[in-house]
Amino acid sequence: MTAPRNTDRLIRAFLAEGETDLPDQVYDAVRREIDRTDQRVVIGLWRTPVMSSTARIALAAAAVVVVALIGYQFLVAPNVSSPGPAPSQTDSPSLAPSAAPTVALAFPSAGPLSVGRHSLTLSGVRLSIELTTEGWISNGDFGIDKGTYVDPDGNGAESAGFIFWRNSAPDNVYADPCAGTPLSPPAGPSAAELAAAVSTVPGTELVSGPSAVTIGGYPAQDVVLTVPEDIGCAPQDFNLWYDGAPPDELGRYATELGSTIYVWIIDVDGTLVWIDGETYVFSSPEAAQEVQQIIDSIRFE
């Protein structure tokens, strides 16, 4: 395995530019952060938008800086801070305390999600979803997931997942998914034009749509696709749609052969909110129904 050695070199390269040493626990945290950043599937089963190699390297380098700064804040700054009252045991150390409420509202915290309503912010638009069953888990960034999508024993009946495009909606699809070649000219900017482009991604099979629907009181487009067995490349190399400009776009790839992908593009007063849902080969019809129920529960705030 070469990943640990590559990680160590990246950390040491950062240290060579500034601090010459870090406490062991900070060094380990930096390594863990880089290892997580470099994975296409972040933790276990989440279907993540995949970044180009350039973007992943930049994000990994940023992770080094962030984790090192946090480590400095925890381990060094208390010894050199200006005179003043020490924080209480219940205070949560933060580099920007005033920003904490915004971060907390942007996406549900990582971990199991309780039954009930959860707030998030997509493309700067506040909304909430309601979960009516237990078992959903947030990755703390862009995805919530339930069950396992790889289950040869057929025990994944409840499996489903979502990708929420937090910063902005995708603005184009791939004309050659296996080669990662963008559609040119790109899809139009409206929800209807993007949905039409999604419905014609080569290699996918259209189940339904594009359909004009209403979500949370706003007009939206709904498209449902499946990923067949003969796509011509590995699922993680089968690119679907993306946000940004190549080669640094943030893109969506297929999770597995046979999965069903649901796309909702909501026009909230001119701002597009984009949500992907997904069920898998072993998912039951009830799992698909729950995915739709969560979308139907959306309230804009």
Side-chain angles (χ1 to χ4, degrees):
M1 297 291 290
T2 60
R5 292 196 294 273
N6 291 338
T7 298
D8 290 347
R9 283 200 297 270
L10 184 54
I11 297 171
R12 292 191 182 100
F14 167 75
L15 294 176
E17 298 297 325
E19 295 290 331
T20 59
D21 198 7
L22 283 176
D24 289 344
Q25 57 265 52
V26 178
Y27 194 98
D28 291 341
V30 172
R31 180 187 292 141
R32 287 194 301 271
E33 188 65 26
I34 294 173
D35 288 341
R36 279 200 305 269
T37 302
D38 197 43
Q39 299 301 313
R40 285 186 165 184
V41 176
V42 177
I43 301 173
L45 306 174
W46 276 287
R47 273 65 62 188
T48 73
V50 60
M51 297 183 186
S52 68
S53 58
T54 303
R56 290 199 303 273
I57 292 170
L59 188 55
V64 173
V65 176
V66 171
V67 175
L69 285 174
I70 293 173
Y72 180 87
Q73 183 81 0
F74 284 130
L75 302 175
V76 180
N79 296 324
V80 297
S81 61
S82 58
S88 69
Q89 292 287 337
T90 57
D91 288 341
S92 298
S94 172
L95 296 178
S98 61
T102 300
V103 172
L105 291 172
F107 203 79
S109 298
L113 297 173
S114 61
V115 170
R117 192 158 286 276
H118 298 268
S119 296
L120 56 155
T121 301
L122 306 180
S123 300
V125 177
R126 287 276 309 278
L127 62 117
S128 65
I129 58 173
E130 184 174 10
L131 304 180
T132 58
T133 63
E134 296 181 344
W136 288 95
I137 300 174
S138 168
N139 70 0
D141 187 10
F142 56 80
I144 69 171
D145 211 20
K146 185 177 186 181
T148 173
Y149 70 94
V150 179
D151 190 348
D153 296 325
N155 297 320
E158 63 179 9
S159 300
F162 285 97
I163 290 175
F164 297 91
W165 292 76
R166 282 184 49 189
N167 294 328
S168 55
D171 47 25
N172 201 14
V173 303
Y174 290 97
D176 186 337
C178 288
T181 304
L183 178 67
S184 182
S190 71
E193 289 168 314
L194 286 166
V198 166
S199 71
T200 58
V201 172
T204 62
E205 294 181 356
L206 182 64
V207 175
S208 65
S211 303
V213 297
T214 300
I215 297 175
Y218 289 93
Q221 293 286 322
D222 177 17
V223 182
V224 183
L225 306 170
T226 59
V227 179
E229 296 285 339
D230 55 349
I231 56 176
C233 57
Q236 65 267 26
D237 295 324
F238 189 77
N239 302 285
L240 297 168
W241 39 85
Y242 65 90
D243 177 31
D248 297 321
E249 74 270 26
L250 184 66
R252 171 75 153 92
Y253 63 87
T255 303
E256 66 159 358
L257 300 178
S259 66
T260 300
I261 300 175
Y262 312 81
V263 176
W264 297 273
I265 310 172
I266 312 166
D267 188 337
V268 184
D269 296 330
T271 298
L272 296 186
V273 171
W274 186 302
I275 302 171
D276 293 349
E278 196 164 13
T279 54
Y280 313 102
V281 172
F282 300 107
S283 300
S284 68
E286 288 74 21
Q289 291 172 7
E290 184 170 13
V291 165
Q292 185 61 54
Q293 288 168 358
I294 291 171
I295 294 299
D296 292 339
S297 76
I298 288 177
R299 296 177 188 169
F300 290 94
E301 303 171 356

